[in-house]
Amino acid sequence: MPFLTERDDESDECLLAIATELTNLIGLVGGAERAHALLAPLETLITVEETVVRDKAVEAACEVGRAMTASGIGKYFVPFIKQLAEGDWFTARVSACGLFATAFERLEESQLELRNGLTTMFRDLCADETPMVRRAAASNLGKIAKGSAQSFIVNELMSMFAALTTDDQDSVRLLVVEDCVALGKLLSVADCASKVVPIVLRFAADKSWRVRYAVAQHIYDMCEIVGVDVALNGLFDAYVALLGDTEGEVRISSAGKIAEFCALAGATYSAEKILPVVHELAKDQSEHVRSSLAATVLGLAPTMGKEMTVEKLLPIFFILLKDEFPDVRLNVISNLEKVNSVIGVEMLSTELLPAIKELAEDEHWRIRLAIIEYIPVLAEQIGTNFLFQKSDDSQGGEDLLNSLCLQWLQDSVYSIREAAANNLFRLTEIFGADWALKYIFPRVKQLVTSQHYLHRLTVLRALSLLAPAVGQRVALEEILPIIKQASTDAVPNVRFNAAKALTPLAKLVDQATVQSEIRPILIGLQSDPDVDVRYFAEQAMTST
């Protein structure tokens, strides 16, 4: 312990490692009776300038405190906190704030004098001249409340809480917002409504947008705590005001909780107060606000019901489906099951299919990748009859998704081609081999003769994935001939991928078919002039 206590000149990485390991020594120094020996090196670590080291040291000190006896807490841990709380340098006082919750939790009711002393110390820290200390106090007040009796919360903590709510630093006030929720869960509904809700309402109109942002993140939790009847007297209206806030970050946070709020507030209030604001948000100047709205707005459908969804929500859906920002359209499409369960997706068809097509052809490959990966889920939710219906503007009356599947397999980005191959496998798993024979194989076969060798490679990848999903008969009749043709391709990369594609195929068929159909192809590839082709042919021969 003396050695570790003197390590204050080490690098931050070394100090962090010491703080991390110290709790492993609790048993080695003598357990609960001697755990206080670890406080000496922790005192050194808990006051350093590096925040990461201090946080880890506070965490370790709390664990040591929980391991100590009740008498040890009073004899060693409380004086340890007192020494830190009265430290000249703010880092010591900041760290002290993180230890109070453990001390209050471990002290017995009979140790009243120690509890009173701790209460006085924490009250002083809540009023400390340094904002960083007051922030630390605010962030730990809720933790202290969780381990305290309600009488202590009402008689002591609430006065400290009230003082922090009027702090002149917004960085302190925004942390107090979290305390509102923590205290609200511990107080009675009546006390919460009279003591906490007014503060939340004041914060919702705070001059600092960061405080309002914190309220937007937590106001739903407060509404749940007090219930609908209390929330109707201000909290719901405060949320509506946050939806129309002048700061984009606040609107983003608020828009992300629309579905939850409407479910809690009910259809009547939502139709009267929330939906008009939602309609404006759908045309918000910030694309990030619209994207946040699009991710949740379809969740309003179950609350509003079929008639109100058709009348009030469909116009909003249509606006978002036509948004110029692809993430907005993608977020709408990714949540279609919520509206499909209420009104059916057919009512969106005229807007939905063009939106899918635009996303599938977006210039940003990550957008294309996202819609590809979502197609199987979408198909399962709303059915292939809808997704594979004829597109009015498609050439020759081709169905939209078939055309897109072929397009994705030929994409210039490898990740898109790989995702497209996996996409076909997932669709086949969902809808079966007959469906694949009708929709997938006719299109995939068109790429076998493509002039671009990468497209032919994609076909082999797709077929190797499809083989387990379609079964032995289809694999032999449809897939094996294509692989056999690819084994004689002019490009070595195509030939060795043909060898690799035979491995999953061999696992589907009986041994007689392997000997008569698959091994002859591999034997031919083993004498290929290209060394890579021979290598993969050998590998495939071993596995078959």
Side-chain angles (χ1 to χ4, degrees):
M1 290 302 106
F3 171 78
L4 292 175
T5 303
E6 296 170 0
R7 296 301 95 197
D8 58 338
D9 58 343
E10 297 285 357
S11 66
D12 291 334
E13 290 80 1
C14 184
L15 294 177
L16 179 62
I18 294 173
T20 302
E21 294 296 330
L22 273 175
T23 54
N24 295 327
L25 301 179
I26 292 174
L28 300 176
V29 298
E33 297 294 333
R34 302 279 305 197
H36 62 270
L38 296 172
L39 294 179
L42 282 171
E43 185 179 349
T44 301
L45 298 170
I46 215 163
T47 56
V48 300
E49 290 189 20
E50 176 54 49
T51 304
V52 176
V53 177
R54 287 205 316 271
D55 289 346
K56 179 56 72 173
V58 168
E59 182 184 323
C62 288
E63 193 168 337
V64 169
R66 286 190 288 270
M68 294 169 69
T69 61
S71 60
I73 288 288
K75 188 176 181 180
Y76 301 106
F77 199 70
V78 172
F80 178 64
I81 296 175
K82 185 176 186 295
Q83 184 174 346
L84 293 173
E86 295 175 350
D88 294 332
W89 191 238
F90 80 92
T91 55
R93 304 198 299 277
V94 167
S95 296
C97 293
L99 304 177
F100 280 89
T102 300
F104 277 114
E105 179 186 334
R106 296 286 289 111
L107 282 174
E108 297 176 349
E109 292 297 328
S110 59
Q111 297 171 296
L112 185 60
E113 185 178 345
L114 289 173
R115 297 182 71 88
N116 290 338
L118 284 175
T119 302
T120 301
M121 277 188 275
F122 191 73
R123 181 178 285 107
D124 292 341
L125 292 173
C126 288
D128 195 274
E129 62 181 8
T130 306
M132 285 81 82
V133 178
R134 300 200 301 275
R135 283 206 299 269
S139 63
N140 283 282
L141 189 144
K143 297 175 184 177
I144 295 173
K146 287 179 181 178
S148 303
Q150 191 168 75
S151 59
F152 178 78
I153 296 173
V154 173
N155 297 329
E156 300 291 347
L157 287 184
M158 287 305 296
S159 60
M160 305 177 205
F161 168 72
L164 290 169
T165 63
T166 58
D167 198 280
D168 59 353
Q169 294 284 325
D170 63 351
S171 60
V172 176
R173 297 197 304 277
L174 68 87
L175 290 171
V176 179
V177 175
E178 295 183 27
D179 292 331
C180 291
V181 176
L183 291 171
K185 291 177 179 178
L186 300 169
L187 295 170
S188 66
V189 173
D191 281 343
C192 185
S194 61
K195 293 182 171 69
V196 180
V197 170
I199 292 170
V200 174
L201 295 177
R202 173 154 53 86
F203 281 158
D206 196 274
K207 61 183 180 181
S208 168
W209 72 266
R210 295 202 298 164
V211 176
R212 301 197 304 275
Y213 175 79
V215 174
Q217 288 184 307
H218 296 287
I219 192 169
Y220 176 76
D221 296 328
M222 183 57 62
C223 290
E224 271 197 320
I225 291 168
V226 298
V228 176
D229 293 339
V230 175
L232 279 170
N233 296 321
L235 286 175
F236 285 155
D237 291 340
Y239 172 70
V240 174
L242 292 171
L243 279 174
D245 197 90
T246 55
E247 179 60 43
E249 294 291 338
V250 179
R251 298 198 301 277
I252 291 170
S253 180
S254 303
K257 299 184 182 298
I258 281 179
E260 297 169 310
F261 259 97
C262 287
L264 189 63
T268 302
Y269 182 92
S270 300
E272 181 182 344
K273 297 290 184 69
I274 297 180
L275 285 187
V277 184
V278 171
H279 197 278
E280 293 302 315
L281 287 179
K283 297 178 286 186
D284 195 275
Q285 62 181 356
S286 169
E287 62 191 30
H288 302 294
V289 173
R290 301 195 304 273
S291 181
S292 178
L293 175 68
T296 58
V297 69
L298 273 70
L300 272 65
T303 299
M304 305 309 297
K306 184 173 182 178
E307 183 178 341
M308 193 68 70
T309 297
V310 173
E311 180 184 349
K312 301 287 188 179
L313 293 181
L314 276 186
I316 297 173
F317 299 161
F318 292 152
I319 291 172
L320 295 172
L321 276 173
K322 295 176 182 177
D323 197 282
E324 63 181 2
F325 191 51
D327 279 355
V328 177
R329 303 194 300 272
L330 186 62
N331 283 345
V332 173
I333 293 170
S334 298
N335 290 279
L336 279 176
E337 76 278 2
K338 296 172 183 175
V339 71
N340 183 41
S341 62
V342 177
I343 63 172
V345 79
E346 291 77 11
M347 299 190 72
L348 289 171
S349 60
T350 56
E351 307 292 339
L352 181 57
L353 288 176
I356 292 175
K357 188 173 187 298
E358 286 180 16
L359 289 171
E361 298 171 342
D362 195 90
E363 62 179 358
H364 301 290
W365 71 269
R366 294 185 188 277
I367 298 294
R368 301 199 301 275
L369 181 63
I371 193 64
I372 290 171
E373 292 176 341
Y374 188 69
I375 285 295
V377 180
L378 193 61
E380 195 169 18
Q381 290 168 354
I382 64 180
T384 54
N385 289 337
F386 174 77
L387 278 179
F388 287 84
Q389 64 181 264
K390 301 296 182 183
S391 175
D392 294 335
D393 60 351
S394 60
Q395 297 178 357
E398 293 177 330
D399 58 84
L400 172 68
L401 202 57
N402 261 346
S403 177
L404 292 178
C405 284
L406 182 65
Q407 184 174 310
W408 288 328
L409 289 170
Q410 300 175 86
D411 198 277
S412 59
V413 178
Y414 168 78
S415 295
I416 301 295
R417 298 195 303 273
E418 178 70 12
N422 280 289
N423 178 45
L424 297 182
F425 167 70
R426 292 173 62 196
L427 286 170
T428 303
E429 268 196 326
I430 295 170
F431 300 111
D434 291 338
W435 176 87
L437 282 171
K438 179 179 179 182
Y439 288 108
I440 302 301
F441 281 95
R443 308 301 302 220
V444 170
K445 287 179 179 178
Q446 293 181 21
L447 287 181
V448 176
T449 57
S450 171
Q451 295 298 309
H452 201 312
Y453 84 95
L454 290 176
H455 298 165
R456 303 198 296 277
L457 285 179
T458 305
V459 170
L460 291 173
R461 175 60 177 158
L463 292 177
S464 65
L465 289 171
L466 282 172
V470 297
Q472 178 175 333
R473 181 183 62 83
V474 176
L476 288 176
E477 294 177 1
E478 300 289 341
I479 296 177
L480 184 58
I482 297 175
I483 296 177
K484 188 173 183 178
Q485 179 182 341
S487 68
T488 61
D489 196 277
V491 178
N493 284 37
V494 177
R495 297 199 300 275
F496 75 63
N497 273 278
K500 291 165 65 176
L502 287 171
T503 301
L505 201 63
K507 295 178 181 178
L508 290 175
V509 299
D510 55 67
Q511 194 59 35
T513 306
V514 171
Q515 295 295 334
S516 62
E517 299 288 347
I518 294 177
R519 291 181 73 87
I521 300 174
L522 293 173
I523 291 171
L525 291 173
Q526 283 179 315
S527 58
D528 194 275
D530 187 271
V531 62
D532 291 325
V533 177
R534 295 197 301 273
Y535 170 79
F536 284 108
E538 289 284 353
Q539 293 288 101
M541 183 70 79
T542 302
S543 62
T544 56

